[in-house]
Amino acid sequence: MAISIKSPREIELMRISNHMLCDMHRELEKIIRPGLPTIELDKLAESYLKEHGVVSNFYNYEGFPAQICVSVNDEVVHGIPSKEKVLHEGDIVSIDAGLIYKGYHSDAARTYGVGTISKEKQQLIDETRNSFFEGIKMARAGNRLFDISNAIDAYISKFGYGIVRDLVGHGVGTELHEEPQIPNYKQERRGPKLQAGMTLAIEPMINLGRGDVVWEEDEWTVVSEDGSPSAHYENTILITDGDPEILSLY
Ligand code: MG
């Protein structure tokens, strides 16, 4: 299947969808504290979405039971918010969220420390974020898709972290997951040529230990196999004729 090229009108809708999502992430970040049950993040997302007349694209996606994904410590992605799961001082928490505005999807993730966290967890969060920015230096029309993957891998490998290989970034637009898949690790081939108008969710998922992951009993929550903490950083970007535009940051 071809990678879709968005029209100027579609790009404007993607921009609005993603700006709203960025705003929602900022609201969620404000309530993170030790003692918070993760369901409270989901409730805040639900009220934010309702207030803005939009819907979550994660809710009911293949049956996902919540508005957003909240993943704590060794949980990599797809954690289910719950009133039993409470944030503790020193934890790290990843929030992955998206919404649909007039048919157009946004997708972005952030990892935060809860209270005071260890230096090694902070560095994991920072370098995961930095690897996204290293990757998107290659996100230019005329380059190839896997130039992004290779740049993320080359950057992260310096720290000895484990890159999650079982989950990848993706195209995004009228669907949450569109072509192409975007690995965060080195590829032998350079992949399809990037063109202006492509909208891509670039999302390194990085473990402090090895990159292997397993699925929990709930069939959703992905955890690091070795139990090490994991960080996630994601934005939806637009390929242009110049620098990429990060739609989910403003
Ligand atoms: Mg995504």
Side-chain angles (χ1 to χ4, degrees), residues 6-97:
K6 274 72 177 182
S7 69
R9 176 190 154 272
E10 291 182 293
I11 288 167
E12 192 46 35
L13 295 173
M14 293 283 295
R15 204 175 268 130
I16 295 168
S17 180
N18 278 283
H19 275 212
M20 209 180 277
L21 177 60
C22 179
D23 186 49
M24 185 172 87
H25 267 296
R26 286 178 181 156
E27 294 302 312
L28 292 168
E29 181 183 5
K30 286 180 192 163
I31 69 163
I32 291 173
R33 58 168 176 82
L36 186 80
T38 58
I39 192 73
E40 296 300 325
L41 291 161
D42 201 66
K43 285 185 191 163
L44 177 58
E46 191 170 14
S47 63
Y48 181 97
L49 296 166
K50 201 171 173 191
E51 200 177 299
H52 290 80
V54 291
V55 293
S56 162
N57 46 13
F58 292 10
Y59 179 69
N60 219 12
Y61 183 90
E62 292 178 8
F64 187 75
Q67 305 292 318
I68 59 174
C69 300
V70 181
S71 308
V72 182
N73 294 332
D74 63 327
E75 295 174 352
V76 179
V77 286
H78 306 162
I80 302 170
S82 143
K83 63 178 195 300
E84 277 84 39
K85 197 187 288 171
V86 175
L87 299 178
H88 298 286
E89 179 91 21
D91 285 347
I92 60 173
V93 57
S94 302
I95 299 177
D96 191 357

Side-chain angles (χ1 to χ4, degrees), residues 145-146 148-150 152 167-169 181-187:
L145 184 69
F146 299 149
I148 300 172
S149 310
N150 295 344
I152 292 171
L167 299 146
V168 296
Q181 295 202 353
I182 311 168
N184 297 301
Y185 52 93
K186 189 170 167 35
Q187 304 294 300

Side-chain angles (χ1 to χ4, degrees), residues 2-248:
I3 303 171
S4 70
I5 304 295
K6 274 72 177 182
S7 69
R9 176 190 154 272
E10 291 182 293
I11 288 167
E12 192 46 35
L13 295 173
M14 293 283 295
R15 204 175 268 130
I16 295 168
S17 180
N18 278 283
H19 275 212
M20 209 180 277
L21 177 60
C22 179
D23 186 49
M24 185 172 87
H25 267 296
R26 286 178 181 156
E27 294 302 312
L28 292 168
E29 181 183 5
K30 286 180 192 163
I31 69 163
I32 291 173
R33 58 168 176 82
L36 186 80
T38 58
I39 192 73
E40 296 300 325
L41 291 161
D42 201 66
K43 285 185 191 163
L44 177 58
E46 191 170 14
S47 63
Y48 181 97
L49 296 166
K50 201 171 173 191
E51 200 177 299
H52 290 80
V54 291
V55 293
S56 162
N57 46 13
F58 292 10
Y59 179 69
N60 219 12
Y61 183 90
E62 292 178 8
F64 187 75
Q67 305 292 318
I68 59 174
C69 300
V70 181
S71 308
V72 182
N73 294 332
D74 63 327
E75 295 174 352
V76 179
V77 286
H78 306 162
I80 302 170
S82 143
K83 63 178 195 300
E84 277 84 39
K85 197 187 288 171
V86 175
L87 299 178
H88 298 286
E89 179 91 21
D91 285 347
I92 60 173
V93 57
S94 302
I95 299 177
D96 191 357
L99 60 86
I100 310 170
Y101 173 78
K102 295 189 177 173
Y104 285 82
H105 291 248
S106 46
D107 193 1
R110 316 271 184 253
T111 300
Y112 305 106
V114 180
T116 306
I117 62 170
S118 70
K119 260 189 203 154
E120 55 175 6
K121 283 180 176 171
Q122 188 60 56
Q123 193 189 6
L124 175 70
I125 292 173
D126 294 344
E127 299 305 354
T128 299
R129 181 177 179 280
N130 290 342
S131 74
F132 165 88
F133 287 97
E134 284 300 313
I136 69 161
K137 284 181 185 168
M138 306 308 288
R140 306 180 73 86
N143 280 357
R144 289 179 179 268
L145 184 69
F146 299 149
D147 297 344
I148 300 172
S149 310
N150 295 344
I152 292 171
D153 187 318
Y155 183 78
I156 282 297
S157 296
K158 293 187 295 191
F159 302 97
Y161 296 147
I163 298 173
V164 174
R165 300 165 76 98
D166 287 355
L167 299 146
V168 296
H170 51 93
V172 54
T174 54
E175 304 286 340
L176 174 57
H177 294 124
E178 297 186 351
E179 290 293 313
Q181 295 202 353
I182 311 168
N184 297 301
Y185 52 93
K186 189 170 167 35
Q187 304 294 300
E188 293 309 322
R189 306 175 80 164
R190 286 183 68 203
K193 208 171 241 182
L194 295 171
Q195 289 177 48
M198 290 179 176
T199 45
L200 308 172
I202 312 288
E203 52 175 323
M205 288 154 270
I206 309 296
N207 297 348
L208 192 60
R210 286 183 298 106
D212 306 81
V213 296
V214 290
W215 270 255
E216 297 221 297
E217 276 300 301
D218 63 19
E219 294 283 318
W220 280 109
T221 314
V222 180
V223 297
S224 62
E225 192 179 33
D226 62 8
S228 65
S230 184
H232 187 194
Y233 188 78
E234 175 184 33
N235 283 302
T236 300
I237 68 161
L238 168 71
I239 304 295
T240 74
D241 287 318
D243 293 333
E245 183 179 335
I246 306 176
L247 300 177
S248 51

